[in-house]
Amino acid sequence: MPVPPESALVISDLCKTYRARDGSGLRAALKNVSFAVPRGSMFALLGPNGAGKSTLINIMAGLVSKTAGSVTIWGHDIDADGRQARRAIGVVPQELNLDPFFTPRETLDVQAGYYGIPRAERRTDEILETVGLADKADAYARTLSGGMRRRLLIAKAMVHNPEILVLDEPTAGVDVELRQHLWQTIGEMNAHGRTILLTTHYLEEAQDNCETIAILRHGELVACEPRERLLSRLTEKLVKVRFAADLAAPPQALEAFLPQAADARTLVFRVQRGDGAVAALLSALTGCGAAVEDISTVEPDLEDVFLRLTRDETPATVPI
Ligand SMILES: Nc1ncnc2c1ncn2[C@@H]1O[C@H](COP(=O)(O)OP(=O)(O)OP(=O)(O)O)[C@@H](O)[C@H]1O
Ligand SMILES: [Mg+2]
């Protein structure tokens, strides 16, 4: 058995330029993107609409040709060793491209045939079971709901038992319960050693499920690091103070802490974490002459970091 590579995916200086649809020249969709996905990890690729996520995934899948740079999948360069590279990866595209006249069972059979998997070695029922479609095995794809179609696409990508599963917005348009089920399924596949790379616009789900997070913005990689490190980039936290009565104006003793009024009796303060700022605020509150009813704090989350990194201009006031 060959030794498995340290990085399941290695993207180096990847560039893609598209000819603009209106014929006005070339547009860069990916600009010198480089990162590696550790073997066995659960990796999120995030970015606003049009950032280049699907372009990158479609290059890995062999659906879009790159302009420059290299992509190595499970140790195989996609140019030099395309066949082996494609064997190691299963891609679930963003678009629901299924043949409406095939049943899930037929869809998986055709896919298995495409990969040359002998009938005796096919795991059709097991895979349909994994994605919760066993009872729909013989229903026409056109009669499946959107969420079921997405699950069928995941099943299709698993047919050749790839080491790496790449999912482009697997939970888009899927209801809450099914989303939880999908995350559970994806988590189980990861627990069995499969490397997962996915994109999502549900940042909370990425934060809860993925240990490494990369962020694309206008085709450039603006972050790629472990979740904890990314979250610790924001050194501020919010302290929300609710007073016992409406305030005509913020008490003078609190002015130095730059209060923002959330409503007539609530002030919000942005304080640095861990340098005594919270203690200073608390003692100022004690002596400010207004009775405090309640205090709560809000830690920064992935959405805050994401907005900071992907916003074209940082606004003067950050929304609370
Ligand atoms: N076939 C194409 N021809 C021309 N331009 C394209 C083509 N496909 C994508 N683009 C452009 O490339 C850029 C990146 O698109 P891409 O689909 O990769 O973004 P994305 O990050 O997946 O966005 P979303 O979150 O909306 O799925 C966009 O500006 C898009 O208009
Ligand atoms: Mg996309």
Side-chain angles (χ1 to χ4, degrees), residues 171 176 179-180 183 200 202-210:
T171 54
V176 182
R179 273 214 315 265
Q180 282 177 352
W183 278 113
T200 178
Y202 298 105
L203 300 181
E204 217 181 290
E205 295 181 356
Q207 180 173 337
D208 289 347
N209 294 286
C210 300

Side-chain angles (χ1 to χ4, degrees), residues 4-5 7-10 39-40 72-76 84-85 88 163-164 193 195:
S7 298
L9 288 163
V10 182
R39 169 167 48 93
T72 307
I73 300 173
W74 208 251
H76 307 287
Q84 294 287 354
E163 300 287 356
I164 307 163
T195 306

Side-chain angles (χ1 to χ4, degrees), residues 81-137:
D81 207 359
R83 224 179 118 81
Q84 294 287 354
R86 272 196 300 280
R87 283 229 152 233
I89 196 170
V91 179
V92 182
Q94 187 169 1
E95 285 85 39
L96 297 167
N97 57 347
L98 285 166
D99 188 322
F101 299 105
F102 280 3
T103 67
R105 191 187 299 287
E106 288 164 349
T107 303
L108 298 197
D109 261 346
V110 169
Q111 186 76 356
Y114 174 75
Y115 279 99
I117 301 167
R119 263 183 200 283
E121 289 173 28
R122 295 184 188 174
R123 303 172 303 128
T124 307
D125 288 321
E126 183 193 325
I127 295 171
L128 288 173
E129 188 72 44
T130 305
V131 298
L133 281 180
D135 58 338
K136 295 281 178 189

Side-chain angles (χ1 to χ4, degrees), residues 149-186:
R149 285 177 208 200
R150 200 157 289 282
R151 282 187 281 165
L152 179 53
L153 282 176
I154 296 177
K156 205 175 148 190
M158 287 165 60
V159 157
H160 59 295
N161 202 16
E163 300 287 356
I164 307 163
L165 201 59
V166 173
L167 305 128
D168 199 354
E169 298 197 28
T171 54
V174 172
D175 72 39
V176 182
E177 201 182 331
L178 206 61
R179 273 214 315 265
Q180 282 177 352
H181 177 82
L182 273 177
W183 278 113
Q184 198 186 335
T185 308
I186 295 167

Side-chain angles (χ1 to χ4, degrees), residues 18-19 21 29 47-56 94 169 201:
Y18 283 114
R19 201 158 287 284
R21 289 184 176 119
N49 290 137
K53 306 178 296 294
S54 295
T55 299
L56 200 150
Q94 187 169 1
E169 298 197 28
H201 287 288

Side-chain angles (χ1 to χ4, degrees), residues 26-317:
L26 298 173
R27 297 268 163 79
L30 292 174
K31 303 171 197 166
N32 292 90
V33 173
S34 301
F35 65 88
V37 177
R39 169 167 48 93
S41 68
M42 185 97 133
F43 187 102
L45 180 63
L46 309 177
N49 290 137
K53 306 178 296 294
S54 295
T55 299
L56 200 150
I57 285 176
N58 290 338
I59 291 172
M60 290 194 251
L63 299 170
V64 167
S65 59
K66 60 187 166 59
T67 307
S70 70
V71 175
T72 307
I73 300 173
W74 208 251
H76 307 287
D77 182 276
I78 58 166
D79 293 330
D81 207 359
R83 224 179 118 81
Q84 294 287 354
R86 272 196 300 280
R87 283 229 152 233
I89 196 170
V91 179
V92 182
Q94 187 169 1
E95 285 85 39
L96 297 167
N97 57 347
L98 285 166
D99 188 322
F101 299 105
F102 280 3
T103 67
R105 191 187 299 287
E106 288 164 349
T107 303
L108 298 197
D109 261 346
V110 169
Q111 186 76 356
Y114 174 75
Y115 279 99
I117 301 167
R119 263 183 200 283
E121 289 173 28
R122 295 184 188 174
R123 303 172 303 128
T124 307
D125 288 321
E126 183 193 325
I127 295 171
L128 288 173
E129 188 72 44
T130 305
V131 298
L133 281 180
D135 58 338
K136 295 281 178 189
D138 300 308
Y140 283 125
R142 67 170 184 273
T143 68
L144 301 180
S145 75
M148 292 174 189
R149 285 177 208 200
R150 200 157 289 282
R151 282 187 281 165
L152 179 53
L153 282 176
I154 296 177
K156 205 175 148 190
M158 287 165 60
V159 157
H160 59 295
N161 202 16
E163 300 287 356
I164 307 163
L165 201 59
V166 173
L167 305 128
D168 199 354
E169 298 197 28
T171 54
V174 172
D175 72 39
V176 182
E177 201 182 331
L178 206 61
R179 273 214 315 265
Q180 282 177 352
H181 177 82
L182 273 177
W183 278 113
Q184 198 186 335
T185 308
I186 295 167
E188 279 163 14
M189 290 191 278
N190 180 242
H192 284 103
R194 208 171 255 124
T195 306
I196 312 273
L197 180 145
L198 55 85
T199 74
T200 178
H201 287 288
Y202 298 105
L203 300 181
E204 217 181 290
E205 295 181 356
Q207 180 173 337
D208 289 347
N209 294 286
C210 300
E211 66 240 26
T212 314
I213 293 174
I215 300 179
L216 278 176
R217 171 180 181 263
H218 295 320
E220 285 178 85
L221 195 73
V222 291
C224 179
E225 53 203 51
R227 169 183 49 202
E228 284 69 27
R229 191 166 350 131
L230 192 61
L231 289 173
S232 70
R233 276 207 201 190
L234 287 191
T235 54
E236 294 170 340
K237 72 152 113 191
L238 297 181
V239 178
K240 240 178 185 174
V241 182
R242 186 171 165 78
F243 293 89
D246 288 1
L247 303 169
Q252 208 161 9
L254 301 176
E255 252 169 31
F257 297 91
L258 306 175
Q260 290 187 323
D263 61 44
R265 56 175 73 181
T266 308
L267 295 178
V268 178
F269 302 87
R270 236 162 232 292
V271 293
Q272 291 293 319
R273 290 191 284 185
D275 67 350
V278 176
L281 175 62
L282 288 182
S283 77
L285 278 169
T286 314
C288 77
V292 172
E293 191 180 85
D294 196 12
I295 296 182
S296 61
T297 61
V298 183
E299 298 293 331
D301 65 8
L302 184 58
E303 191 163 321
D304 300 312
V305 183
F306 181 87
L307 289 173
R308 284 283 173 98
L309 291 172
T310 57
R311 216 169 251 171
D312 286 332
E313 287 149 283
T314 308
T317 55

